[in-house]
């Protein structure tokens, strides 16, 4: 069976070799992200696998469908880059990858700790040989209420990680997770906003979650709340966040994802003038940590992503079904 992998990264190479061999897949690798410019390369490939930086909007899917593609497997958990309605209209079935949630959950805990312990300030001072500590006083997890928004695979793993710190954990989800009954107290969203010292976002990007954190919801937060986002940049209205940080309503933020990050994160722009003013502003704030969509990036997760992506396509092509298919 022939599969084309877009956005094939060098770090995925060993896993691609291993699982393509195991599954009897002849793999064509394209390092570039799927886009209107290179969608024609998929002509004749029934199965296509992509990452979240790929454009799988309607115009691209139309080219894929015309070339004979029937299955698209995201090697990522998020699949908001796939136009689901267009895929269904074109008869393309698609799946995502349920890779190690601990990759992101561990990172979220790191960002929470960096925020409450003022790590950016400590490191910046160190770099300038300023070894003073005044102004870098932190807070302890056990004294904090941490609100987890979205308690699926990653939110649940984050809650399990955080439980070791004795923090008070509250959660909000449209479908509460029964496995968390001992760890998390579910509350309405507004209560989570009002009670949390730290809000950690783990909901997917959908029409309802876009700008879930906005001027109105920020107003309902505790003064000095901290926002951590390891989900999708569009969950936060970035302009509203910047204003709230300037007004000191929000005391710190840690963002692994950012609105309009596509084309910026995961690439070297050293010699360029970047057209992303919000990124420049956020990076300049001493109380904001920006990481570059790194949370997933562990040895385990990369191996899982490639394995699930290829297994899903093999399953689609051989049996007409995939355990990872997105049907909703
Ligand atoms: P999941 O589907 O297991 O969990 C998502 C949870 O969010 C579900 O329980 C769902 O009911 C809940 N949810 C849906 N709409 C909601 C809403 N309006 N309010 C509150 N909760 C809502 O997904 P997951 O594997 O835990 O991943 C969560 C998200 O994390 C992904 O969709 C992706 O966007 C993001 N992610 C980021 C990275 C990264 O590297 N930063 C890596 C993987 C995933």
């Amino acid at each position: 069976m022939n599969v084309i992998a877009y956005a094939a990264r060098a770090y995925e190479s060993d896993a691609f070799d291993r699982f393509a061999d195991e599954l009897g897949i002849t793999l064509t690798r394209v390092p570039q992200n799927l886009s209107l410019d290179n969608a024609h390369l998929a002509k004749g490939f029934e199965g296509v696998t992509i990452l979240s930086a790929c454009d799988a909007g309607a115009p691209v899917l139309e080219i894929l469908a015309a070339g004979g593609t029937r299955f698209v497997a995201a090697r990522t958990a998020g699949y908001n880059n796939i136009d689901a309605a267009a895929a269904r209209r074109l008869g393309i079935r698609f799946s995502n990858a349920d890779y190690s949630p601990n990759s992101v959950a561990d990172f979220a805990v790191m960002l929470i700790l960096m925020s409450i312990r003022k790590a950016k300030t400590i490191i910046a001072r160190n770099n300038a040989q300023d070894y003073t500590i005044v102004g870098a006083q932190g807070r302890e997890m056990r004294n904090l209420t941490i609100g987890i928004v979205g308690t699926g695979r990653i939110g649940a793993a984050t809650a399990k990680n955080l439980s070791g710190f004795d923090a008070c954990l509250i959660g909000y989800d449209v479908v509460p997770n029964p496995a968390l009954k001992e760890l998390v107290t579910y509350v309405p969203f507004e209560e989570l906003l009002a009670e949390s010292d730290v809000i950690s976002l783990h909901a997917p990007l959908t029409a309802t979650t876009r700008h879930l954190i906005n001027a109105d919801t920020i107003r309902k937060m505790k003064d000095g709340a901290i926002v951590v986002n390891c989900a999708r940049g569009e969950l936060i209205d970035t302009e509203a966040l910047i204003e709230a940080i300037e007004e000191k309503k929000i005391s710190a933020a840690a963002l692994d994802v950012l609105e309009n990050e596509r084309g910026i994160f995961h690439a070297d722009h050293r010699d360029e003038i970047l057209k992303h003013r919000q990124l420049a502003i956020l990076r300049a704030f001493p109380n904001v940590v920006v990481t570059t969509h790194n949370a997933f990036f562990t040895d385990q997760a990369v191996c899982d992503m490639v394995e699930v992506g290829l297994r899903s396509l093999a399953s689609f092509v051989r049996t007409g079904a995939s355990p990872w298919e997105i049907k909703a």
Side-chain angles (χ1 to χ4, degrees), residues 77-80 99 101 104 149-155 172-175 202-206 208-209 212 230-232 256-257 293-297:
Y79 52 89
N80 52 284
Y99 59 84
V104 182
V149 179
T151 54
R153 300 179 70 256
I154 294 171
Y172 169 72
D173 196 307
V174 285
V175 185
H202 301 286
L205 174 61
T206 64
T208 9
T209 60
L212 190 68
C230 283
R232 282 290 179 268
D256 185 50
V257 286
H293 208 141
N294 290 86
F296 76 98
F297 196 36

Side-chain angles (χ1 to χ4, degrees), residues 259-269 274-276 279 292:
E259 283 189 287
N260 305 313
E261 68 176 51
R262 189 185 283 173
I264 293 188
F265 286 178
H266 297 187
D268 185 347
H269 298 285
L274 274 192
K275 277 193 171 169
H276 198 312
L279 173 59
T292 53

Side-chain angles (χ1 to χ4, degrees), residues 29-286:
R29 301 169 211 209
V30 178
Q32 288 77 25
N33 299 329
L34 173 63
S35 70
L36 271 176
D37 294 336
N38 60 22
H40 65 278
L41 298 176
K43 189 170 169 40
F45 288 89
E46 232 182 330
V48 171
T49 170
I50 61 172
L51 291 180
S52 54
C54 291
D55 173 3
V60 170
L61 291 176
E62 273 158 26
I63 298 172
L64 295 187
T69 296
R70 295 173 57 223
F71 308 110
V72 173
R75 306 194 294 286
T76 50
Y79 52 89
N80 52 284
N81 55 323
I82 302 176
D83 184 330
R88 286 188 221 308
R89 172 169 53 79
L90 295 160
I92 292 179
R93 291 163 64 190
F94 61 95
S95 57
N96 71 338
D98 56 353
Y99 59 84
S100 164
N102 297 74
S103 59
V104 182
D106 292 1
F107 204 87
V109 173
M110 178 188 80
L111 290 184
I112 293 170
L113 282 166
M114 287 182 80
S115 302
I116 66 171
R117 300 307 300 262
K118 303 199 172 148
K120 186 169 175 180
T121 299
I122 294 169
I123 293 166
R125 284 189 194 179
N126 253 299
N127 289 341
Q129 296 206 62
D130 171 359
Y131 302 121
T132 60
I133 65 168
V134 174
Q137 189 177 66
R139 295 162 83 190
E140 295 183 24
M141 288 275 218
R142 68 192 169 108
N143 295 328
L144 301 180
T145 296
I146 302 181
I148 301 174
V149 179
T151 54
R153 300 179 70 256
I154 294 171
T158 304
K160 280 185 197 136
N161 281 346
L162 289 171
S163 66
F165 289 93
D166 275 343
C168 168
L169 299 181
I170 58 177
Y172 169 72
D173 196 307
V174 285
V175 185
N177 185 342
L180 293 183
K181 125 161 152 268
E182 309 288 320
L183 292 183
V184 173
T185 305
Y186 280 96
V187 294
F189 186 49
E190 302 236 331
E191 195 174 325
L192 182 141
L193 292 172
E195 296 298 322
S196 300
D197 297 294
V198 178
I199 295 175
S200 192
L201 302 175
H202 301 286
L205 174 61
T206 64
T208 9
T209 60
R210 182 177 295 274
H211 288 185
L212 190 68
I213 303 301
N214 56 45
D216 182 45
T217 50
I218 289 172
R219 240 188 322 272
K220 293 172 181 159
M221 290 180 193
K222 251 189 190 176
D223 288 342
I226 292 170
V227 175
V228 174
N229 189 4
C230 283
R232 282 290 179 268
E234 292 80 359
L235 262 56
I236 299 181
D237 176 346
T238 313
E239 236 10 83
L241 177 73
I242 289 172
E243 271 174 36
I245 293 165
E246 285 170 340
E247 287 161 9
K248 302 200 169 91
K249 169 72 184 177
I250 287 185
S251 68
L255 312 169
D256 185 50
V257 286
L258 196 60
E259 283 189 287
N260 305 313
E261 68 176 51
R262 189 185 283 173
I264 293 188
F265 286 178
H266 297 187
D268 185 347
H269 298 285
R270 237 177 292 206
D271 300 322
E272 293 168 32
I273 305 294
L274 274 192
K275 277 193 171 169
H276 198 312
R277 292 180 188 194
Q278 293 173 335
L279 173 59
I281 293 169
L282 288 164
R283 286 185 54 228
F285 286 143

